[in-house]
Amino acid sequence: MLKNLFSPIEIGRVRISNRLVVPAMVMNYCHRDGTATEKYVAYHEAKARGGWGLIITEDYAVDPKGKGFSNVPGLWNDTQVESHSKLARRIHDLGGKIFAQIYHAGRQTSRALIGDQPVAPSPIPCPRLQEIPHALRANEIREIVEEFGDCALRARKAGFDGIEIHGAHGYLIAQFMSPYSNKRIDDYGGNLLNRMRFPLEIVSNVRSKAGSDFPVLFRISGDEMVPGGRTIEDTKTMAAMLEEAGVDALHISAGVYGSAYAITPPAAIRHGWIVHFAEEVKKVVDIPVITVGRINDPFLAETIIAGKKADLVAMGRASLADPELPKKAAAGRFADINYCIGCLQGCIGMISRSLPATCLVNPTLGKEKELRTKPADLKKKVFIAGAGPAGMEAAMVAAKRGHEVHLFEKADRLGGQFYTASIPPSKGEIAGFIVWQRKQLEENHVSVYLNNKLTEEIVNEQKPDVVVLATGSAPVSPNLPGVKRANVVTAHEVLEGKTDVGRRVAVIGGGMVGSETANHLANHGKEVSIIEMLPEIATDVNARSKPFLLKDLTEHSVRLYLNSTVKEVLADGLRIEKEGREEEIGPFDTVILAVGLEPCNELRSKLEGKVSRLITIGDAVSPRKALEAIAEGYLAGLEV
Ligand SMILES: Cc1cc2nc3c(=O)[nH]c(=O)nc-3n(C[C@H](O)[C@H](O)[C@H](O)COP(=O)(O)O)c2cc1C
């Protein structure tokens, strides 16, 4: 069925067994000195086992001052080669092919990280990091060119099958290539040919040191998506020059730090949104072209290749969500694929805080060895209360280990509040994860009882060995005059379609739940106002997704009352206090509460001391995000 996807291709002298590529992704798993850890190697091994045609590592700094993240790998000196040769060896032992991405962050780093002033073609700060960089002198540029060549040679010595030169995403090479960041008036600036001098010198240096037969990929942003940045037409011209210079393949991404949403697009951006850039580049080169960007489905990848829009398809976050995607797709096991939902919580959410990356839908990411599901020594009867994401994950893992698992859910459906979260615009892919969990429960013979609340009586009568409480949380009802009026409902009731909503709506609480509920209703033609105590809304929405949510709210004329506290729900409006002054706002037909959640765990005190093992997980401990709930569910499944 996926015959294009599973056909081989050559990049230079290297034969790649299929068209599925893991693109470079910083995981922050290495030692601070740039050497590899076992965690880093095991993470890549999972990809090799999963059948990806080509794995491209995260960016190896060519110089310690070119690091952009704390725990990235490095090949800036010979002592680092040995630890990375272990990685290459182990990937080869599994039949995989691995390229090292090499880079210099230029101005997209900070003094705090590298202990010195960042460097760039011109003294213009990155709009995100805001540090004025040192403008490189010609002799310093030549030193960095040499460092790229030395780094490529070390990559070859370490046993990598090739390298990818990182000329995308606004790092040093991209800074030189773009009039957005390069304002030089010497031979490295101004016209396109001059702006290409630095990358072309790097390609030539790499070729002369690492050998003309050592495969070289070049990554480039098709469009930088910032005012004054490069466009696809510039990119096509540069692509042709890079081919001419001997590059073996091109990898077309998008964006710079000033348009970070384009580098790692959130769920609000559609699947395959920049495939047309690769298609355009393919028109002017004969070497293989890789596309990327919110592609998480093998059928989509197959269509892209069949349509000759690209020769290979990179799936970044999809490979974090399920390192076995290629193997499952090749075997036709599509229902088993755990699809990336584009949430960015575990991956970008963690590395942007200098923490090791995790994945919301795949708690084993980065813990491939520790969290292996081994068969249980003793088969136990496990009762789980609550079929939200935490309870389902715990049930799946416990059942995989051979336990007899019974999952009780008081509602008539699975998914708990994660299902509710799938309703607003751009959140629909969450439903795919619930479908995946449901399938896993079926395959692992978990007995599921819907409309069945686990009670103390059931536990006393049926005597399970272990009880896992994953009973989640419920909306808080604030102590507010008028809150019991008939037109006051919760955001959860609205999202779950349990109540009608009038035309004019007030949402009390502008956190993620309130803002997304407002967006959902505004998209359905309601006139919506949000009343929020803080000076801004959506403070708990991730930084990449938030601008899209705010834009949507603005386009739908959602009215914001910030720094405002609701004092009373009136018959047809609200009395609020803003900066010490009270006013009445409205009229509103429906008032929606989104003021937080409280744990539901009343069963805990009833069962304490009555079962040999009682584990509480997820929101039942304290209301948080699905990221924590699913991770705790997985651990509970291993613990029972
Ligand atoms: C956690 C994370 C780290 C990334 N680090 C790099 C990197 O080191 N080098 C790079 O070229 N791209 C990096 N990217 C971008 C990815 O390679 C890829 O282009 C992007 O995630 C879009 O593809 P996707 O939608 O398939 O995830 C990173 C992406 C993520 C999610």
Side-chain angles (χ1 to χ4, degrees):
M1 228 186 322
L2 302 172
K3 64 178 192 320
N4 290 287
L5 204 54
F6 289 101
S7 62
I9 187 166
E10 259 128 49
I11 295 184
R13 64 182 170 131
V14 173
R15 190 178 154 90
I16 312 285
S17 64
N18 62 53
R19 307 301 180 95
L20 288 164
V21 177
V22 178
M25 280 177 291
V26 168
M27 294 283 109
N28 262 338
Y29 294 163
C30 285
H31 292 298
R32 272 184 178 259
D33 66 1
T35 54
T37 57
E38 180 56 31
K39 183 183 180 83
Y40 178 71
V41 177
Y43 155 74
H44 283 106
E45 276 183 324
K47 308 280 172 95
R49 272 195 208 96
W52 297 86
L54 175 62
I55 299 167
I56 304 171
T57 69
E58 65 204 75
D59 33 28
Y60 280 72
V62 301
D63 182 306
K65 294 194 175 145
K67 275 173 69 164
F69 293 87
S70 55
N71 290 66
V72 282
L75 277 172
W76 60 76
N77 72 44
D78 293 340
T79 60
Q80 292 164 318
V81 173
E82 175 49 33
S83 86
H84 294 290
S85 65
K86 185 163 57 172
L87 167 66
R89 214 167 35 239
R90 279 171 50 183
I91 298 306
H92 291 155
D93 287 348
L94 293 165
K97 292 280 189 295
I98 184 160
F99 280 32
Q101 186 182 65
I102 64 172
Y103 97 134
H104 191 300
R107 69 178 190 174
Q108 287 186 170
T109 188
S110 62
R111 187 184 281 274
L113 188 72
I114 60 170
D116 205 345
Q117 186 182 15
V119 300
S122 304
I124 305 166
C126 157
R128 250 181 71 203
L129 294 159
Q130 299 281 337
E131 290 185 30
I132 296 184
H134 159 69
L136 288 164
R137 288 185 284 271
N139 65 315
E140 292 168 326
I141 295 175
R142 279 193 293 276
E143 277 168 25
I144 296 178
V145 169
E146 297 293 337
E147 285 179 339
F148 269 96
D150 295 341
C151 182
L153 175 59
R154 287 187 197 106
R156 181 167 191 157
K157 284 185 180 159
F160 287 104
D161 298 290
I163 53 155
E164 177 176 79
I165 299 174
H166 196 353
H169 304 164
Y171 294 111
L172 187 63
I173 296 177
Q175 285 157 34
F176 270 91
M177 288 161 71
S178 176
Y180 165 69
S181 39
N182 180 349
K183 317 282 175 174
R184 299 178 75 95
I185 50 172
D186 63 3
D187 287 348
Y188 287 97
N191 60 52
L192 188 142
L193 197 58
N194 273 1
R195 283 185 274 115
M196 281 302 284
R197 194 172 306 280
F198 182 58
L200 293 176
E201 283 179 358
I202 287 174
V203 171
S204 154
N205 201 283
V206 161
R207 283 258 166 263
S208 71
K209 285 181 181 154
S212 55
D213 61 337
F214 190 53
V216 174
L217 260 167
F218 194 96
R219 196 168 211 205
I220 183 168
S221 292
D223 189 311
E224 292 184 311
M225 299 186 172
V226 280
R230 280 193 304 97
T231 64
I232 183 62
E233 290 308 321
D234 301 318
T235 300
K236 282 161 72 176
T237 313
M238 292 173 164
M241 289 176 171
L242 289 162
E243 178 180 37
E244 178 74 27
V247 160
D248 297 298
L250 289 158
H251 189 168
I252 316 299
S253 181
V256 297
Y257 271 18
S259 53
Y261 71 88
I263 303 176
T264 43
I269 288 185
R270 289 150 204 225
H271 296 136
W273 73 303
I274 54 165
V275 170
H276 58 287
F277 292 156
E279 189 180 10
E280 282 299 307
V281 169
K282 258 184 83 62
K283 289 179 187 162
V284 297
V285 298
D286 292 321
I287 49 179
V289 174
I290 308 175
T291 189
V292 71
R294 280 276 283 143
I295 302 166
N296 66 350
D297 188 300
F299 288 102
L300 183 56
E302 169 71 16
T303 311
I304 291 166
I305 294 168
K308 309 215 177 310
K309 295 184 172 178
D311 302 292
L312 298 107
V313 175
M315 295 188 185
R317 289 163 294 165
S319 75
L320 306 181
D322 195 338
E324 305 223 316
L325 182 147
K327 206 158 100 181
K328 291 175 182 173
R333 289 166 46 213
F334 301 108
D336 268 355
I337 296 174
N338 193 0
Y339 295 93
C340 168
I341 60 171
C343 70
L344 291 169
Q345 285 185 35
C347 53
I348 292 293
M350 290 297 168
I351 67 158
S352 57
R353 286 150 58 202
S354 296
L355 295 169
T358 63
C359 176
L360 182 144
V361 301
N362 174 17
T364 67
L365 179 75
K367 303 190 181 84
E368 286 76 9
K369 289 228 156 125
E370 301 103 284
L371 299 190
R372 225 170 253 168
T373 47
K374 292 194 207 89
D377 298 333
L378 188 69
K379 182 174 169 178
K380 293 179 190 161
K381 185 156 137 187
V382 180
F383 278 18
I384 298 179
M392 287 171 86
E393 193 78 3
M396 173 190 89
V397 176
K400 271 191 183 163
R401 296 183 52 229
H403 293 304
E404 176 195 325
V405 182
H406 302 262
L407 178 60
F408 297 79
E409 169 55 50
K410 71 173 185 208
D412 59 358
R413 59 158 179 84
L414 299 170
Q417 289 188 55
F418 211 32
Y419 167 76
T420 319
S422 76
I423 306 298
S426 307
K427 304 290 287 280
E429 286 171 68
I430 288 176
F433 179 66
I434 302 169
V435 168
W436 178 79
Q437 282 192 319
R438 174 175 62 73
K439 193 78 194 151
Q440 297 299 307
L441 299 185
E442 283 164 19
E443 274 181 13
N444 291 289
H445 312 291
V446 172
S447 306
V448 178
Y449 312 97
L450 295 178
N451 300 305
N452 254 296
K453 188 172 173 177
L454 183 67
T455 59
E456 194 185 354
E457 292 70 41
I458 298 175
V459 172
N460 286 340
E461 195 184 304
Q462 300 193 22
K463 304 199 181 344
D465 301 303
V466 184
V467 174
V468 178
L469 292 182
T471 37
S473 57
V476 170
S477 185
N479 190 7
L480 200 66
V483 81
K484 297 272 184 269
R485 288 182 189 278
N487 67 336
V488 181
V489 296
T490 65
H492 286 66
E493 288 167 322
V494 171
L495 293 172
E496 289 166 18
K498 290 184 175 155
T499 177
D500 278 331
V501 173
R503 187 169 56 81
R504 297 161 306 184
V505 183
V507 179
I508 305 180
M512 181 165 79
V513 175
S515 306
E516 289 187 345
T517 305
N519 196 25
H520 167 67
L521 293 172
N523 270 273
H524 287 86
K526 309 288 184 189
E527 285 169 30
V528 188
S529 298
I530 300 176
I531 300 91
E532 167 58 46
M533 287 166 74
L534 298 175
E536 59 177 312
I537 61 161
T539 49
D540 51 346
V541 174
N542 78 65
R544 296 274 202 284
S545 309
K546 189 170 162 179
F548 290 88
L549 175 59
L550 298 184
K551 185 164 168 276
D552 234 13
L553 294 173
T554 308
E555 279 172 6
H556 287 95
S557 307
V558 171
R559 194 150 175 201
L560 302 183
Y561 294 89
L562 303 175
N563 300 306
S564 302
T565 312
V566 176
K567 292 291 179 189
E568 185 177 358
V569 181
L570 307 168
D572 63 352
L574 295 173
R575 187 161 58 79
I576 64 167
E577 184 194 298
K578 185 172 180 173
E579 287 149 12
R581 283 209 321 274
E582 291 207 354
E583 64 172 305
E584 284 183 16
I585 58 169
F588 300 120
D589 305 309
T590 307
V591 173
I592 297 171
L593 300 174
V595 290
L597 299 162
E598 57 193 359
C600 300
N601 54 19
E602 62 280 357
L603 199 54
R604 184 158 60 183
S605 56
K606 293 183 185 153
L607 295 185
E608 253 157 17
K610 297 201 179 135
V611 278
S612 51
R613 192 80 206 279
L614 180 64
I615 305 172
T616 310
I617 56 172
D619 274 14
V621 177
S622 73
R624 285 154 300 154
K625 294 251 162 43
L627 178 72
E628 287 87 9
I630 294 165
E632 288 172 18
Y634 197 99
L635 286 179
L638 287 186
E639 268 175 44
V640 297

